[in-house]
Amino acid sequence: MKKWLLTAALLSLPVLAAEPVVPVQADVVFASTAPGAVDPSLEKIRDAMAAKVKYLTMKKLDFKKLELLQDKVQTIPLPNQRFAELTLQHLKDNVATLKLKLGPTEAVYSLGRDKSLFLQAGPHNGGDLWLVLSQPK
């Protein structure tokens, strides 16, 4: 009788849907138009940005692997004393909608499973900081 009551009680509970989790790798990249070296792992990023700015120096300063949960803020410290706040708004058809707050600026972006986002994160040491968001490698 007790087993039957326990089974009935468990079956009557509403099924809770699992919150979406989106794995993201956040690379903090320093880029400069001054002559220098480009980290081989950043050559594709340099080439993708070449239409806007021709960077001659690029190096990865930091990276974090994050698991974004819906409506939960993840903070990424940047070497220029700023912080990027990243929030998953929703996930639909393998496309994540992300809100990024960087200083007083806030914007919403879409990130597909096999795509990357390049977000300018301000000046740093005579060059630019970029936050590159993609699937973890």
Side-chain angles (χ1 to χ4, degrees):
M1 178 80 167
K2 287 183 182 179
K3 277 188 178 178
W4 181 82
L5 287 175
L6 179 60
T7 302
L10 288 175
L11 291 175
S12 68
L13 292 174
V15 176
L16 300 176
E19 285 191 35
V21 176
V22 175
V24 172
Q25 180 167 320
D27 295 320
V28 178
V29 175
F30 171 77
S32 173
T33 56
V38 174
D39 182 322
S41 69
L42 299 173
E43 288 175 353
K44 286 184 182 179
I45 294 171
R46 177 203 57 197
D47 296 344
M49 295 178 168
K52 293 183 180 187
V53 179
K54 188 170 181 174
Y55 289 115
L56 302 175
T57 300
M58 292 185 82
K59 60 183 172 180
K60 194 180 296 188
L61 300 179
D62 195 11
F63 79 95
K64 290 188 178 287
K65 290 188 179 183
L66 307 170
E67 287 194 348
L68 301 179
L69 299 171
Q70 192 161 342
D71 299 322
K72 304 288 189 231
V73 177
Q74 293 271 349
T75 302
I76 303 165
L78 301 171
N80 61 355
Q81 309 307 312
R82 298 174 81 182
F83 293 89
E85 293 180 353
L86 193 59
T87 307
L88 174 65
Q89 290 189 321
H90 64 273
L91 178 65
K92 183 177 180 183
D93 299 327
N94 286 324
V95 176
T97 301
L98 307 174
K99 179 172 74 171
L100 177 74
K101 184 176 181 184
L102 187 61
T105 305
E106 191 173 292
V108 175
Y109 300 94
S110 295
L111 178 62
R113 182 174 296 276
D114 297 322
K115 303 294 181 186
S116 294
L117 284 174
F118 310 118
L119 307 160
Q120 193 165 21
H124 181 66
N125 290 344
D128 298 314
L129 280 182
W130 286 87
L131 185 61
V132 180
L133 303 176
S134 59
Q135 287 291 302
K137 296 168 181 93

